[in-house]
Amino acid sequence: MRILSENAIAIVIDYQEKILPAMSDPKILVERSEILLKGLKLLDVPMILTTQYAKGLGDNISTITSAMEYEGEVYDKTTFSAYETESVRQKLEASGRKQVIICGIETHICVLQTAIDLKAAGYEPILVADCVDSRKLMDKEFGLKRAMQEGVWMTTTEQLLFELTRKAGGPLFKQISALIR
């Protein structure tokens, strides 16, 4: 099934100041995620931004919020699954979009549990594999494997952005291509 920008919404999970440095490869995670989020913004895909207990783990890093050009509410959660946070669930339902792009941390905890809950609720979760990470590489790998076992769609930044762009040529294609390079 084709991923379409008009059917998609993204959940950007917990790129927080105090936990991000502990990820297995925070530099690559942030670089890839910045490209993804800038591309989603160009493609008019709405985004939901979460934090996990911001009081203890801090805010999302500015690189991420700047890439998103985010001015909306940041949904602070204490549940691991973003979908179990009532305000996030309401925002998703209000969007009317069923394809949910997921990026963030940690792959085997918040990202995985969000994807599983979305799938159970009738959404089509799409996990961007190069835009998720965990503290331990093995946890990331098993988080990705478990997500696949649960029927979650897997993609990469480049694959997703070109699929959403749909055709070569024109100003949008040029902008997306410039991000990818």
Side-chain angles (χ1 to χ4, degrees):
M1 179 169 283
R2 174 82 69 142
I3 304 167
L4 302 171
S5 59
E6 61 269 20
N7 295 338
I9 186 167
I11 299 181
V12 181
I13 301 176
D14 311 343
Y15 287 83
Q16 291 168 260
E17 301 162 338
K18 292 185 181 174
I19 193 166
L20 187 62
M23 294 301 102
S24 68
D25 197 343
K27 182 178 184 288
I28 295 297
L29 172 66
V30 171
E31 286 174 4
R32 300 304 300 164
S33 298
E34 185 177 15
I35 293 166
L36 172 70
L37 299 172
K38 285 179 177 180
L40 292 177
K41 183 71 177 171
L42 286 170
L43 291 157
D44 294 321
V45 174
M47 294 177 258
I48 297 171
L49 181 62
T50 70
T51 53
Q52 178 73 32
Y53 183 62
K55 183 179 177 183
L57 297 175
D59 294 324
N60 286 289
I61 63 167
S62 61
T63 305
I64 295 300
T65 56
S66 294
M68 297 171 70
E69 298 178 29
Y70 200 72
E71 296 175 2
E73 178 179 352
V74 177
Y75 297 89
D76 193 42
K77 59 188 180 59
T78 54
T79 60
F80 294 125
S81 169
Y83 189 74
E84 286 189 329
T85 300
E86 181 68 26
S87 54
V88 171
R89 193 167 47 253
Q90 289 173 353
K91 182 83 170 175
L92 277 171
E93 289 170 1
S95 77
R97 295 169 183 239
K98 290 295 188 181
Q99 296 178 326
V100 184
I101 299 162
I102 305 168
C103 62
I105 56 177
E106 286 190 65
T107 310
H108 66 296
I109 304 172
C110 296
V111 169
L112 177 63
Q113 290 182 36
T114 299
I116 289 170
D117 287 348
L118 287 166
K119 181 84 174 164
Y123 289 91
E124 298 167 356
I126 304 148
L127 200 152
V128 186
D130 58 338
C131 292
V132 297
D133 205 359
S134 296
R135 287 167 290 163
K136 296 176 185 152
L137 190 55
M138 181 178 274
D139 286 329
K140 176 183 177 177
E141 291 170 3
F142 275 84
L144 293 171
K145 286 178 184 179
R146 171 76 186 279
M148 285 190 283
Q149 290 169 343
E150 296 288 342
V152 173
W153 295 0
M154 293 288 167
T155 192
T156 64
T157 298
E158 185 170 344
Q159 180 182 5
L160 177 66
L161 292 178
F162 282 121
E163 183 171 347
L164 293 171
T165 302
R166 299 190 59 140
K167 63 180 182 175
L172 184 58
F173 171 75
K174 288 179 182 175
Q175 289 175 301
I176 296 294
S177 293
L179 283 176
I180 298 298
R181 291 180 194 166

